[in-house]
Amino acid sequence: GGWESIHDKLRMVLARKRPVKHIAPLCWLRPWKMKSTAHHKHSEFYANVKFGVTQYIVVKLSCALAAFILKPIALWSEGSADFSRGYVWAAAITNFSQCWALYCLVLFYFGLKKELKPLNPVGKFIAVKAIVFFSFWQSIVVAVLVSMGIIADADIFPESGDQTFLIAATQDFLICIEMFCFAVYHHKVFSYKQFVIAPQDDEEERDTVDVSMSRHSFKQSLRAMMDLEEVWKDTRVSLQPIMPRKPYPIFRLPSSNG
């Protein structure tokens, strides 16, 4: 498959790299090995980075499920610092998960900085991750400000007496403004120009254009989007570091006296 060939190329590139040192305050950790071994298809660096990024998906879904269960029984209390409620625990776990995912992405960039340079990874990283991660941190700040009374009910909001409504309304208002700025930034960072094929004057040269660069049909794109085989394979590979490992078989040589 396509992903398997990408993984093989990435493994060969990482094998030629020097180990990436951890960043403060985790500089005391041992650098992850870049080369794969006979018993592990992917290198320690690639496996840990991949798991560190994908774990956020599981954590975020779990916290969303917890909010869905605890809100109807009044055990969520969004914006509250009460440790007997679920919000403060979910916020702490999500925040740690996001920080670790960002840290792993930064390590991946330092490990493949030369190869990623033509893709403008820093700009695209800010454009995508700022929306996902920083909007969460913004919601925490808004919740704290509302609980402290710094953000209070205004005339445009009904006097509901519920802090949850004020937190959601303030967060939604800020996101509506911020999305316009992010849309302009996305248009600049994710430009279509890098995918435009230069026109060929010679008809023979036009025929030599790589077929893989041509557009896929709508049916092919829809079929690729609905195919979950690669997602399942990727999930299995990502969960390997925490899955119990089978003991390696021990082969005994036949006795010479037998």
Side-chain angles (χ1 to χ4, degrees):
W3 282 110
E4 293 181 359
S5 61
I6 294 176
H7 290 163
D8 293 338
K9 293 179 180 178
L10 183 59
R11 187 169 65 250
M12 290 187 294
V13 172
L14 290 176
R16 299 192 297 266
K17 296 286 184 178
R18 298 180 61 182
V20 180
K21 295 182 179 179
H22 286 276
I23 310 170
L26 300 178
C27 52
W28 52 273
L29 291 176
R30 175 185 60 83
W32 296 331
K33 298 178 181 178
M34 307 295 282
K35 296 182 179 180
S36 57
T37 61
H39 300 297
H40 298 87
K41 184 177 181 181
H42 301 289
S43 66
E44 183 184 21
F45 175 83
Y46 176 75
N48 290 344
V49 167
K50 190 174 183 180
F51 177 76
V53 174
T54 54
Q55 55 82 26
Y56 171 71
I57 303 174
V58 180
V59 171
K60 188 63 177 178
L61 290 176
S62 301
C63 291
L65 180 61
F68 179 79
I69 297 174
L70 296 178
K71 274 187 177 181
I73 58 178
L75 290 178
W76 183 248
S77 299
E78 185 170 353
S80 174
D82 188 356
F83 288 96
S84 63
R85 298 294 184 265
Y87 172 79
V88 64
W89 294 103
I93 294 173
T94 305
N95 185 49
F96 176 80
S97 176
Q98 286 185 347
C99 291
W100 183 249
L102 286 173
Y103 178 81
C104 291
L105 287 174
V106 172
L107 283 185
F108 185 78
Y109 169 71
F110 285 149
L112 297 171
K113 188 175 182 179
K114 180 180 179 181
E115 289 76 10
L116 295 175
K117 186 177 180 180
L119 302 177
N120 187 21
V122 177
K124 294 179 179 178
F125 173 82
I126 296 175
V128 176
K129 300 306 177 183
I131 298 177
V132 179
F133 295 152
F134 299 151
S135 60
F136 169 76
W137 290 327
Q138 178 179 266
S139 66
I140 298 294
V141 174
V142 170
V144 172
L145 294 178
V146 170
S147 63
M148 295 175 60
I150 298 177
I151 299 179
D153 286 327
D155 295 336
I156 58 176
F157 296 135
E159 293 289 342
S160 60
D162 186 8
Q163 288 185 347
T164 303
F165 173 80
L166 184 58
I167 294 172
T170 306
Q171 176 74 354
D172 294 343
F173 174 74
L174 293 175
I175 288 180
C176 287
I177 299 176
E178 294 163 354
M179 285 304 103
F180 173 77
C181 301
F182 276 117
V184 177
Y185 186 64
H186 268 70
H187 180 72
K188 180 180 179 180
V189 176
F190 294 94
S191 177
Y192 68 92
K193 295 180 181 179
Q194 58 180 331
F195 302 102
V196 175
I197 302 175
Q200 302 288 339
D201 296 332
D202 192 353
E203 185 174 354
E204 294 182 358
E205 293 182 359
R206 187 184 301 112
D207 295 337
T208 61
V209 176
D210 190 359
V211 180
S212 62
M213 298 180 64
S214 61
R215 280 173 165 251
H216 294 289
S217 65
F218 177 76
K219 291 183 178 180
Q220 290 175 332
S221 301
L222 183 62
R223 190 181 302 111
M225 181 183 68
M226 300 299 294
D227 187 11
L228 299 179
E229 182 179 358
E230 296 293 343
V231 177
W232 171 243
K233 290 181 180 179
D234 201 46
T235 303
R236 291 178 56 187
V237 173
S238 301
L239 293 178
Q240 280 182 356
I242 61 174
M243 296 296 291
R245 299 179 181 178
K246 296 180 179 180
Y248 298 117
I250 300 176
F251 298 96
R252 299 182 181 276
L253 297 176
S255 176
S256 58
N257 298 328

